[in-house]
Amino acid sequence: MAIHRWLPFAVGRHVNDPRIAVHIKKSDYFRSSRSLLAMLDVMADVELRHLRTMAAIAEEGTFGRAADRLGYTQSSVSQQIAALEKAVGGAVFDRPGGPRPVRITPLGEVVLAHGRDLLTKAEALADAVDRFRAGNGRIDIATFQGATRLILPAVVRRLLEEHPGCDIRLSEVEPEDPQIGELDLLFHYGRIGGDVEHVELLDEPHLLVAGAGAFPDGPVPVKLLDGAPMVAWPPTHHQTWLERALAGDGARPRIVFRTTGHETILSMVRAGIGSAVLPWLALHGSEAWSDDRLSIHQLRPSPACTWYLYWPAGRTQSPLATRAIDIAVEAATELADQM
């Protein structure tokens, strides 16, 4: 029986039989595999400059005019085509000699058609790399409310001004268990786990907001809040941290109302139901500072929350991410100076 008739059966069911293995190694099947590998090795010797030179010759009609166009000597062009023909195993041009134009061979037509595809893709790759280095890539940033309101606008605005083609993707962070994942940057008001690097942006103190005359002017000892009526946020991750911090300093306020939104809390304080402890930046730009129905006090000691900016450790940063970090640090420094 001829080898090629039983080869598929042998490959499928008897590959462990040493006798059959000898036959398989001698089969056309394995010679075809070796031919494919050999062809891949051949193509590895083809360089983009060879293909670019070939395309110029096909368009100009002679080696001399292609050399002038590319800025090469004619001998350099000839050497490149000789290297290409050696790699593909045949002539890509018929050379009639003299001033007559060269003619592309059937093999050359195949090489040129695929070569132009490769050149187009190579140019697209080079353009994409240049755009990436210029900051026209994508950046994914996770953030929380405070950073979204006071730092992120500066980051987004300046990135878009400096790199109009950039792609900025924003998302809200889960405060209970923030994960860096595939993000480029993550703003958070606490430490997170994982393999990350970070920069501290600012330490944000918390202030006491009370009805006018409810407390003496100046800083207020935290212990005076023990048992005092207070309006607060629902027990979010941050609010839970704040109440534990106050308890650690000897104050367990009597929460009389929980509601979302700093302005809503301020309206309840104005109504006289109780005081509130809010982060400094929640009052940034607020009319509460000039409201004669309210008084704002520093606390002694003051609960403070540190803002961080994280990025994955060991990952090469894009130019956009590097620039975003710089802008965020600048914006945070300005805020800290105001505090």
Side-chain angles (χ1 to χ4, degrees):
M1 182 183 294
I3 291 176
H4 69 273
R5 292 182 181 175
W6 54 261
L7 177 59
F9 178 82
V11 173
R13 298 183 58 185
H14 296 283
V15 291
N16 293 323
D17 189 322
R19 295 170 299 169
I20 295 175
V22 172
H23 289 290
I24 291 175
K25 290 178 183 177
K26 294 179 181 179
S27 70
D28 289 340
Y29 175 84
F30 279 89
R31 281 200 298 272
S32 297
S33 297
R34 287 197 297 272
S35 297
L36 176 59
L37 293 174
M39 180 57 70
L40 291 175
D41 288 339
V42 164
M43 295 311 298
D45 294 330
V46 176
E47 299 180 19
L48 289 175
R49 65 191 180 102
H50 298 160
L51 298 173
R52 193 172 292 110
T53 298
M54 181 185 180
I57 295 170
E59 293 165 8
E60 298 294 338
T62 70
F63 281 41
R65 287 200 293 268
D68 291 340
R69 170 174 155 181
L70 297 172
Y72 294 147
T73 64
Q74 187 166 336
S75 62
S76 175
V77 168
S78 298
Q79 291 169 6
Q80 291 186 44
I81 295 303
L84 176 61
E85 291 177 332
K86 180 180 179 181
V88 301
V92 295
F93 289 111
D94 287 329
R95 303 163 176 80
R100 290 178 294 175
V102 298
R103 294 187 300 272
I104 193 166
T105 67
L107 173 61
E109 290 177 350
V110 173
V111 174
L112 184 59
H114 290 279
R116 280 179 168 147
D117 286 342
L118 290 173
L119 289 172
T120 299
K121 292 176 181 178
E123 289 174 0
L125 172 61
D127 181 66
V129 170
D130 287 343
R131 287 171 56 81
F132 172 82
R133 288 175 174 168
N136 290 337
R138 169 177 167 174
I139 183 169
D140 290 83
I141 305 174
T143 180
F144 64 95
Q145 187 178 44
T148 300
R149 187 167 71 91
L150 297 169
I151 291 182
L152 202 57
V155 173
V156 171
R157 182 178 62 254
R158 291 176 61 179
L159 285 182
L160 290 175
E161 289 173 352
E162 297 171 10
H163 309 288
C166 68
D167 181 7
I168 304 174
R169 309 287 181 94
L170 306 178
S171 60
E172 289 284 345
V173 71
E174 293 293 336
E176 291 78 12
D177 185 28
Q179 299 291 326
I180 195 74
E182 296 302 314
L183 295 167
D184 295 295
L185 299 173
L186 184 151
F187 289 92
H188 190 52
Y189 48 79
R191 301 306 301 267
I192 70 172
D195 193 11
V196 294
E197 298 180 42
H198 72 273
V199 60
E200 292 187 13
L201 295 176
L202 54 86
D203 289 321
E204 180 186 25
H206 285 60
L207 302 174
L208 173 65
V209 184
F215 293 91
D217 291 341
V220 173
V222 169
K223 290 183 178 180
L224 292 183
L225 302 182
D226 190 39
M230 182 166 289
V231 184
W233 276 77
T236 61
H237 176 79
H238 184 78
Q239 183 64 30
T240 300
W241 165 84
L242 174 60
E243 291 178 24
R244 287 175 180 170
L246 293 174
D249 290 324
R252 296 182 181 275
R254 178 169 51 88
I255 307 299
V256 295
F257 183 48
R258 292 188 184 273
T259 184
T260 58
H262 298 308
E263 287 300 325
T264 305
I265 291 175
L266 289 175
S267 68
M268 291 295 100
V269 175
R270 289 188 188 98
I273 194 173
S275 58
V277 175
L278 296 175
W280 187 94
L281 291 173
L283 301 172
H284 179 70
S286 169
E287 295 179 356
W289 297 94
S290 58
D291 191 331
D292 57 10
R293 293 168 295 175
L294 300 174
S295 62
I296 300 176
H297 307 262
Q298 292 181 340
L299 287 169
R300 292 287 186 267
S302 173
C305 178
T306 303
W307 289 19
Y308 299 89
L309 180 56
Y310 295 93
W311 58 89
R315 185 191 303 174
T316 302
Q317 290 181 339
S318 70
L320 279 178
T322 301
R323 184 66 183 124
I325 294 171
D326 291 340
I327 298 171
V329 170
E330 292 175 15
T333 300
E334 292 177 4
L335 286 173
D337 289 343
Q338 294 176 38
M339 286 190 286

